Amino acid sequence: MNKKPNRLINEKSPYLLQHAYNPVDWYPWCDEAFEKAKKEDKPIFLSIGYSSCHWCHVMEKESFEDEEIGKILNENFISIKVDREERPDIDAIYMQVCLLFNGHGGWPLTIIMTPDKKPFFAGTYFPKDSKLGRIGLIDLLLSVSEYWKKNREDLLSRAEKVVEYLKKDIENKSKEDMFSDDIIHKGFLDFKSRFDKLYGGFSIKPKFPTPHNFMFLLRYYYYTKNKEALDMVEKTLTNIRLGGVFDHIGFGFHRYSTDREWLLPHFEKMLYDQAFLTMV
């Protein structure tokens, strides 16, 4: 059966083109999508990802290629797909929303918002069906659609609060002075308190190399001569280099380790990770 392409077929982004034959009636980020949402009085379903994102591909295969989910989205939402590498400005705004709602973020980034771009729900990856206490995309979409019809004011109120918070956050950041020595020392103490003395790194699992953390600690060592900062970096880099997160055959570093010991990697490599780790 020949599949009919959606609007993404006219885009240049490889990531958007990967979704061009989904049964979801995707729009790219454009005025037409928001005008249609206002005209049809529907919320916006925004999905942000990128072409080398593992869970983005999983969610596409499980959900966005699924006829049932396509039907639910097409009947109740206006759906927009964004490539975060093409539009980092859009991704930055809505990732901040996801962090506000959940305390953590990631991709694929899932946002549901009003036709005037005010978000009232944020999350990341969702399986197609609810399981193990985790809501699936079908149940989520149906619940939001029902709530949009019956409790619209509650969602609009929530969206307004999110927008107000974002405005205040931007205003506060614009008023902040330069970093003081006190903030820099507090940063070092935070890393010290979270440091894994056995395997290196600053979490239990999963473990990301996070080279910018090493760059901060190396600069801290350079200026303060506090050898603890250097020791944390050397311990971590040694374990990363000897572990499975380093590709001993193909070279380069995988994005992160799924375990505490840096042994089992998440099998994708990001160019910016290679660049920053090279600098470190």
Side-chain angles (χ1 to χ4, degrees):
M1 183 178 70
N2 292 326
K3 293 183 178 180
K4 183 180 177 182
N6 54 50
R7 292 168 183 78
L8 300 184
I9 196 67
N10 299 315
E11 294 299 303
K12 296 177 181 178
S13 158
Y15 175 69
L16 297 185
L17 289 171
Q18 287 169 7
H19 295 76
Y21 287 90
N22 292 165
V24 178
D25 189 16
W26 291 116
Y27 282 80
W29 184 276
C30 60
D31 291 339
E32 182 187 356
F34 295 102
E35 289 166 2
K36 186 175 176 65
K38 290 177 183 177
K39 183 179 179 180
E40 297 186 4
D41 193 29
K42 292 179 179 178
I44 299 283
F45 177 84
L46 171 64
S47 178
I48 303 176
Y50 55 102
S51 59
S52 59
C53 164
H54 171 73
W55 288 105
C56 297
H57 291 296
V58 172
M59 193 164 177
E60 181 195 11
K61 186 166 287 293
E62 287 181 349
S63 297
F64 300 142
E65 291 182 359
D66 184 81
E67 295 288 345
E68 182 182 6
I69 285 183
K71 186 172 185 293
I72 293 171
L73 281 170
N74 296 342
E75 290 178 355
N76 301 284
F77 298 85
I78 299 300
S79 302
I80 297 177
K81 250 294 173 194
V82 167
D83 180 349
R84 70 173 291 261
E85 294 180 321
E86 186 178 55
R87 293 300 306 268
D89 53 332
I90 296 171
D91 176 66
I93 292 170
Y94 290 105
M95 183 57 71
Q96 191 174 357
V97 172
C98 187
L99 293 170
L100 170 63
F101 272 101
N102 305 296
H104 57 83
W107 297 275
L109 178 58
T110 302
I111 301 289
I112 304 179
M113 58 186 175
T114 66
D116 52 358
K117 306 174 186 175
K118 297 177 180 179
F120 55 80
F121 178 87
T124 53
Y125 162 79
F126 292 92
K128 176 187 173 183
D129 299 303
S130 300
K131 54 186 175 182
L132 302 175
R134 178 173 187 152
I135 191 169
L137 189 59
I138 288 179
D139 290 338
L140 172 64
L141 294 175
L142 293 175
S143 297
V144 171
S145 176
E146 189 72 11
Y147 212 76
W148 176 260
K149 294 169 185 174
K150 295 183 178 180
N151 301 88
R152 177 82 56 89
E153 291 305 315
D154 184 40
L155 293 180
L156 294 178
S157 175
R158 178 185 296 197
E160 287 296 335
K161 288 177 182 177
V162 171
V163 172
E164 284 302 312
Y165 176 86
L166 292 175
K167 285 181 179 177
K168 288 180 181 178
D169 188 54
I170 292 171
E171 290 172 1
N172 290 337
K173 285 180 179 177
S174 66
K175 294 175 183 177
E176 287 178 356
D177 296 323
M178 294 291 287
F179 283 136
S180 66
D181 287 349
D182 183 53
I183 291 175
I184 294 171
H185 292 312
K186 283 182 178 178
F188 165 73
L189 292 174
D190 178 66
F191 282 120
K192 182 179 177 181
S193 68
R194 294 188 289 115
F195 182 62
D196 182 344
K197 295 180 181 179
L198 192 57
Y199 297 105
F202 304 96
S203 61
I204 302 301
K205 63 178 182 179
K207 278 187 171 175
F208 287 77
T210 53
H212 50 280
N213 292 343
F214 305 143
M215 296 169 86
F216 166 80
L217 289 169
L218 288 173
R219 289 184 178 129
Y220 187 86
Y221 166 69
Y222 179 82
Y223 286 108
T224 67
K225 306 307 178 188
N226 186 332
K227 196 167 181 298
E228 282 185 289
L230 179 62
D231 290 342
M232 285 191 285
V233 174
E234 290 185 335
K235 173 72 174 179
T236 305
L237 290 179
T238 299
N239 279 279
I240 288 175
R241 177 60 178 79
L242 295 176
V245 75
F246 175 72
D247 187 341
H248 293 262
I249 297 175
F251 303 107
F253 295 88
H254 294 288
R255 191 153 180 261
Y256 63 88
S257 171
T258 60
D259 56 35
R260 181 185 176 189
E261 296 85 355
W262 302 103
L263 292 178
L264 184 62
H266 185 277
F267 289 101
E268 64 177 343
K269 296 176 186 173
M270 308 305 292
L271 185 58
Y272 52 76
D273 284 336
Q274 317 308 316
F276 279 118
L277 283 165
T278 299
M279 293 168 68
V280 171

